[in-house]
Amino acid sequence: MQIVKTFEIKNQLGIHARAAAKIVEIANLFNSDVFLEKDGCAVDGRSILDILTIYCPKGCSLTVRFKGPDADKAMKMMSDLIENKFGEP
Amino acid sequence: MDKPGKEKIFIRDDQPSTLVLKGMGVSPGITIGKAYHYDRMDLQTPFYKLGSPSLVQEEIDRFFSALKESEEQLLNLKKKLIDSGSGMEPLYIIDVHVMILKDQRLIDLTVQNIREMSVNAEWAIRMTIEKYRGIFDKMDDEYLRDRITDIEHAGQRIINNLVGKHHVPSELPEGIIVIASDLSPADTAQLKIDKILGFAMDMGGRTSHTAIVARSMEIPAVVALGDITRLVKTNDEIIIDGSAGVVIVNPDPEVRKRYGWKKRLYEKARDDLLDYAGLLAVTKDNHRVEIGGNIEFIEEIPSAIHHGAEGIGLYRTEFIYVNRRKLPDEEEHLENYRHVVGVNGLSWSTIRTFDLGGDKFFPDQKVFHERNPQLGMRAIRFCLKEKELFKVQLRAILRTSIYGKLRIMFPMISGIEEIREAKEILEGEKRSLVARGVKLGNDIEIGIMIEIPSAVIIADRLAKEVDFFSIGTNDLIQYSLAIDRINEQVSYLYQPFHPAVIRLIKSVVDAGHNAGIRVAMCGEMAAEPVYTMILVGMGIDELSMHPLAIPRVKKIIRGITFAEAQSLFEKVLTFSFVEEIRGFVLEEMQKRFPEDFSVDDG
């Protein structure tokens, strides 16, 4: 199963180290593979190093793709995280 | 060299072009030498090729056990932080670092480096970090800059664990000029400072660590050069003029010769002056002025004594607070202060309590935004509001009193209420220390900075509350002339020779002396020889200044009589505007010290 969803990044700091860490935490809870795509670049959602290399400040759109048996559950959790601005202002 | 035909081409191609860079001179003097790019990782990371393929697995195992060790250290650190109840911010950083250690990409790349390049694990991890640094460098965006620091910090931890305690950092060549973006205390601790000829930094200001170290060691330094690390290569010949804030890269022979001459002149003048360092500041008719040194780091004390400071007239304590995640506790304060009081060669030490804005305690500027911080919640005002913070510092200061002559100074006092409240808190802390069984000295003096016009006006009353005054001319001039020195539009109005400023200072000296207390000055005016004679004429008891300024000021004092200084000052009082006073004083100084005051001075 594959689920793709595009988000607008709304927290002030964008995808910085702390937000990236939270993405990795969720990615590690599931069996599905996860990729983050930005400007045609896709990075592994389980690698904090790779996530840090994408430039994603506030206002950017970021596409998340889950592929695997629990993709729907994983996407739901990831949506909550990103839409709640990573729990940040 | 070997083939004459080639030599010509060689010279023409390799003749490097001269480049002049302007920055901020933070430590005076001229130096000529070879540039050396300082890279902290280069020095700390050993490099070797693995002798045989059989060692590859061993190296990979070393890498994995260093990863594990690093993770355990971080988790322990996290636990400690949780137990100590510090904020959430550092905890997140630790989580991020742990995640970087566990990152599959980092692991794969490093293992691949070991296998394919057959290098040691330290170097392999270093290559991984460099790869990411390369990616971030290309992005050229400040937003991403702090990300690489997280990766570097995590990587550095792995390297440290690999290296263990056995590795001795490689030694720097001697007689070099260090080029870096900025140096931290950890970096300078690693350098053999006394073997370095100069510093040229991309970043920094007068109070950055490099600047302070350079000044205290009297090594010429220029900072805020922007991108010297990009423009200069190791082994380039460079000239540093720390007085003018200029760096010349690959000078042509003529420039080089001129600067060699300048350098000798500068050093001769400095050495001649240094003869005055060890002498007392006594006028020809035996009037004595005490000379203090202004410092902000304990490392500056040897230089202060060397240049002739008899005591510490101003120890700024702000650096104990800045650039740290947690507030310093009493012991950490004491660790600094105890090296200031009772030092061999110093007769007294004046410690000034915290003198910054409250914003220094709140990293988030938005929480503590002030429209006009100069007139805001700072110095004694902040301390009287955040009493617990204040008390920690006071206790540590008080505890130094058994080591030697201690003077405690409160900054930014504007009225009687503030000094009384500060004294009351100080007394309370004295009592609690005594109750704790701590021994205190019995001649602790309490004083205040006089830097607000209101304090000058009621100086007679304030004098009854304290043992000494110290005039802070920088702020006093700004506040009394209502100008912001940083504002270029009005900075021309910053005039120590303003008749109002001179009268203000004189009235502080008189008020202090009428009450029988000592009056010192620790502002920039005390360090400028052109003002020395009028300050002596007013009867000031102590001049405290940057150590490097001391020999020249002593020379002036030893070359005059108190009687002529007094009559010069009387004459100054008859003038009405800045230019009259400046012209008159400068002319008088030129008459007496032709080699110290050139005609175009001032």
Side-chain angles (χ1 to χ4, degrees), chain B residues 160-348:
Chain B
N160 289 346
N161 282 319
L162 280 166
V163 170
K165 293 174 189 73
H166 308 296
H167 176 62
V168 183
S170 359
E171 284 202 2
L172 274 180
E174 290 181 5
I176 47 157
I177 291 167
V178 173
I179 310 292
S181 76
D182 200 9
L183 295 175
S184 71
D187 295 327
T188 48
Q190 231 186 40
L191 296 164
K192 274 195 185 153
I193 299 281
D194 53 331
K195 300 285 193 287
I196 289 169
L197 298 179
F199 293 103
M201 302 284 128
D202 284 343
M203 302 191 284
R206 276 202 72 76
T207 54
S208 63
H209 181 72
T210 314
I212 288 149
V213 169
R215 275 200 299 275
S216 68
M217 300 295 294
E218 291 178 57
I219 301 169
V222 179
V223 302
L225 285 156
D227 51 359
I228 188 163
T229 49
R230 198 172 57 76
L231 299 167
V232 173
K233 298 187 299 294
T234 291
N235 275 333
D236 276 350
E237 181 172 51
I238 64 175
I239 295 174
I240 291 196
D241 182 343
S243 313
V246 170
V247 174
I248 302 165
V249 186
N250 296 319
D252 63 51
E254 196 161 318
V255 171
R256 196 188 187 291
K257 209 171 121 194
R258 201 165 63 235
Y259 268 89
W261 176 71
K262 270 196 194 182
K263 177 175 148 66
R264 280 190 298 279
L265 237 125
Y266 174 85
E267 281 163 3
K268 180 165 183 323
R270 191 187 58 187
D271 294 346
D272 287 354
L273 271 175
L274 215 50
D275 292 345
Y276 291 91
L279 304 173
L280 288 176
V282 190
T283 61
K284 289 192 233 169
D285 51 353
N286 263 328
H287 173 78
R288 175 129 147 70
V289 180
E290 289 188 298
I291 302 292
N294 294 354
I295 62 162
E296 46 206 319
F297 287 90
I298 53 182
E299 290 82 357
E300 293 175 287
I301 292 175
S303 161
I305 295 172
H306 178 66
H307 285 94
E310 300 165 55
I312 298 300
L314 170 63
Y315 173 52
R316 303 183 168 95
T317 56
E318 289 74 54
F319 274 92
I320 296 164
Y321 295 89
V322 297
N323 281 335
R324 46 184 302 150
R325 295 202 169 154
K326 225 180 95 207
L327 284 172
D329 62 21
E330 189 179 317
E331 299 306 319
E332 283 170 88
H333 277 289
L334 182 64
E335 191 45 48
N336 283 283
Y337 306 155
R338 62 179 297 276
H339 294 290
V340 178
V341 181
V343 177
N344 239 341
L346 295 178
S347 311
W348 75 91

Side-chain angles (χ1 to χ4, degrees), chain B residues 550-595:
Chain B
I550 292 174
R552 195 178 292 271
V553 168
K554 281 192 171 177
K555 180 183 175 185
I556 305 290
I557 294 174
R558 294 181 63 87
I560 57 173
T561 65
F562 186 43
E564 65 175 330
Q566 280 176 313
S567 65
L568 180 103
F569 175 69
E570 289 305 323
K571 178 86 181 158
V572 162
L573 284 183
T574 65
F575 296 124
S576 327
F577 60 93
V578 175
E579 284 314 317
E580 270 178 311
I581 299 176
R582 192 218 308 277
F584 169 69
V585 173
L586 202 57
E587 196 182 311
E588 292 293 314
M589 297 310 281
Q590 276 162 0
K591 241 188 266 169
R592 290 172 176 82
F593 305 96
E595 74 277 26

Side-chain angles (χ1 to χ4, degrees), chain B residues 389-424:
Chain B
L389 292 175
F390 191 36
K391 287 176 183 174
V392 171
Q393 182 177 34
L394 291 179
R395 283 198 298 273
I397 295 176
L398 284 167
R399 283 169 67 185
T400 63
S401 60
I402 50 154
Y403 299 113
K405 176 74 191 166
L406 168 68
R407 296 193 170 124
I408 303 177
M409 178 156 72
F410 298 113
M412 259 202 112
I413 296 288
S414 67
I416 299 285
E417 298 86 342
E418 285 164 336
I419 180 59
R420 286 206 178 144
E421 194 180 353
K423 274 164 61 185
E424 210 169 286

Side-chain angles (χ1 to χ4, degrees), chain B residues 444-489:
Chain B
I444 303 169
E445 288 185 17
I446 297 167
I448 55 174
M449 293 277 294
I450 300 284
E451 51 191 335
I452 299 181
S454 65
V456 178
I457 295 164
I458 58 162
D460 56 328
R461 306 291 166 87
L462 287 167
K464 297 199 172 85
E465 302 287 325
V466 295
D467 304 309
F468 68 93
F469 285 157
S470 188
I471 305 169
T473 50
N474 306 8
D475 276 343
L476 183 60
I477 294 170
Q478 289 203 72
Y479 292 139
S480 56
L481 302 182
I483 39 132
D484 175 1
R485 262 179 108 178
I486 318 286
N487 182 342
E488 286 171 15
Q489 304 282 330

Side-chain angles (χ1 to χ4, degrees), chain A residues 9-16 56-58 88-89, chain B residues 143 147:
Chain A
I9 299 301
K10 291 177 183 155
N11 64 317
Q12 259 170 25
L13 296 173
I15 309 280
H16 61 121
C56 201
K58 184 183 179 185
E88 292 170 19
Chain B
Y143 173 86
R147 298 183 171 185

Side-chain angles (χ1 to χ4, degrees), chain A residues 12-18 21-22 24-25 44 46-57, chain B residues 88-89 92 95-96 99-100 103-106 128 132 135-136 139 141 143-144 146-147 150-151 366:
Chain A
Q12 259 170 25
L13 296 173
I15 309 280
H16 61 121
R18 188 195 295 186
K22 287 183 174 173
V24 176
E25 269 168 23
D44 183 352
R46 286 203 177 92
S47 168
I48 188 160
L49 289 189
D50 277 10
I51 297 175
L52 288 178
T53 61
I54 53 174
Y55 177 64
C56 201
Chain B
M88 293 305 280
E89 191 65 35
Y92 275 109
D95 285 339
V96 168
M99 214 167 256
I100 291 169
D103 195 287
Q104 200 57 46
R105 197 76 51 175
L106 172 113
T128 305
Y132 277 94
I135 296 173
F136 290 121
M139 295 201 211
D141 191 305
Y143 173 86
L144 296 158
D146 59 329
R147 298 183 171 185
D150 282 324
I151 299 173
K366 272 163 268 154

